[in-house]
């Protein structure tokens, strides 16, 4: 598996700071492969986003990219991550009506 969030070099501090994003990639991989149990509880971010990544929800991902040559690695990583997120099939969004009793 190619590492979507590969930094420049092997930096332990980078891995620690982006553990939530790495876990989000694991959840996305599990959803793409139709796994029965995506690892939502492995980070706070994925635990909070669980409802947005399941069932009949609508999700939007915005990726910010720069065209500066010194940011080419970050831009490429962001684009790889965004293309991976596009492959997730969540379902069809439905309209829910709330009635006040």
């Amino acid at each position: 598996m190619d590492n979507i969030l590969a930094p420049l070099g092997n930096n332990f501090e980078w891995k620690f700071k982006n553990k939530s994003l790495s876990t989000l990639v694991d959840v996305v991989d599990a959803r793409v492969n139709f796994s029965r149990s995506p690892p939502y509880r492995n980070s706070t971010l994925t635990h909070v986003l669980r409802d947005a990544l399941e069932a009949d929800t609508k999700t939007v991902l915005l990726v910010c990219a720069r065209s500066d040559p010194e940011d080419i690695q970050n831009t490429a990583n962001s684009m790889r991550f965004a293309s991976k997120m596009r492959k997730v099939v969540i379902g069809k969004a439905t309209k829910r009506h709330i009635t006040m009793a």
Side-chain angles (χ1 to χ4, degrees):
M1 179 180 111
D2 61 318
N3 190 353
I4 295 172
L5 301 172
L8 290 169
N10 292 328
N11 188 349
F12 179 74
E13 182 179 333
W14 182 93
K15 289 180 183 179
F16 180 74
K17 287 180 181 179
N18 291 306
K19 186 176 186 318
S20 293
L21 286 178
S22 179
T23 306
L24 181 60
V25 170
D26 293 341
V27 169
V28 168
D29 281 336
R31 295 283 297 152
V32 168
N33 296 323
F34 300 105
S35 174
R36 297 194 82 161
S37 57
Y40 291 113
R41 293 187 181 192
N42 290 355
S43 81
T44 304
L45 176 68
T46 54
H47 188 69
V48 169
L49 291 176
R50 181 180 184 159
D51 291 338
L53 295 172
E54 284 188 339
D56 55 354
T57 59
K58 194 179 275 189
T59 305
V60 174
L61 172 71
L62 297 175
V63 175
C64 297
R66 293 184 59 177
S67 61
D68 293 337
E70 65 265 6
D71 294 323
I72 194 73
Q73 180 71 34
N74 289 334
T75 299
N77 290 337
S78 297
M79 293 301 169
R80 275 190 235 118
F81 181 71
S83 67
K84 188 74 161 179
M85 291 295 287
R86 285 189 77 199
K87 295 177 183 176
V88 177
V89 177
I90 296 174
K92 186 176 180 184
T94 59
K95 187 180 257 186
R96 297 178 191 247
H97 297 283
I98 300 174
T99 57
M100 301 299 270

